[in-house]
Amino acid sequence: MYSQQEQRKLHRKSFLNWGSVEKSSFCGCFYCLSMFSAEEAVKQEEGEGNASALCPRCGVDSVLGNVEVALTLELLHELHSFAFRVKKTEPFERED
């Protein structure tokens, strides 16, 4: 299990990451939890020569290449929970 600080660092690596994705043999998306060949990743230009990788399955920029980290389904689940967590709120109470 990764610490919250490690999860935050890995989450940041999903932005402007085209260079690392090109060096990877496979990637994983922590939004839809799919793994795929790095060649399948979609390049999204971010301006000034920068680019991020989009998932070819869901189109979200939550992609990490295996050159950055040892990708496992467990890691993708952890990052999904970290990045897309739903804040708990108090239940709505009706006033009559």
Side-chain angles (χ1 to χ4, degrees), residues 32-52:
C32 71
L33 308 176
S34 64
M35 293 220 192
F36 47 89
S37 165
E39 294 174 353
E40 293 179 72
V42 178
K43 184 176 185 179
Q44 176 175 300
E45 296 291 337
E46 301 285 357
E48 298 183 25
N50 296 314
S52 294

Side-chain angles (χ1 to χ4, degrees), residues 71-82:
L71 288 174
T72 64
L73 192 53
E74 180 182 9
L75 172 62
L76 295 180
H77 276 279
E78 279 187 52
L79 289 174
H80 179 90
S81 293
F82 173 79

Side-chain angles (χ1 to χ4, degrees), residues 13-37:
K13 289 181 183 279
S14 69
F15 303 104
L16 303 178
N17 62 344
W18 188 253
S20 66
V21 166
E22 284 185 309
K23 295 173 187 168
S24 298
S25 56
F26 67 95
C27 298
C29 174
F30 57 88
Y31 182 75
C32 71
L33 308 176
S34 64
M35 293 220 192
F36 47 89
S37 165

Side-chain angles (χ1 to χ4, degrees), residues 44-93:
Q44 176 175 300
E45 296 291 337
E46 301 285 357
E48 298 183 25
N50 296 314
S52 294
L54 301 180
C55 175
R57 311 283 191 273
C58 69
V60 176
D61 64 348
S62 298
V63 174
L64 292 174
N66 71 313
V67 77
E68 291 287 346
V69 65
L71 288 174
T72 64
L73 192 53
E74 180 182 9
L75 172 62
L76 295 180
H77 276 279
E78 279 187 52
L79 289 174
H80 179 90
S81 293
F82 173 79
F84 302 105
R85 62 190 177 273
V86 176
K87 293 183 181 181
K88 292 183 179 179
T89 59
E90 293 298 317
F92 176 75
E93 291 185 28

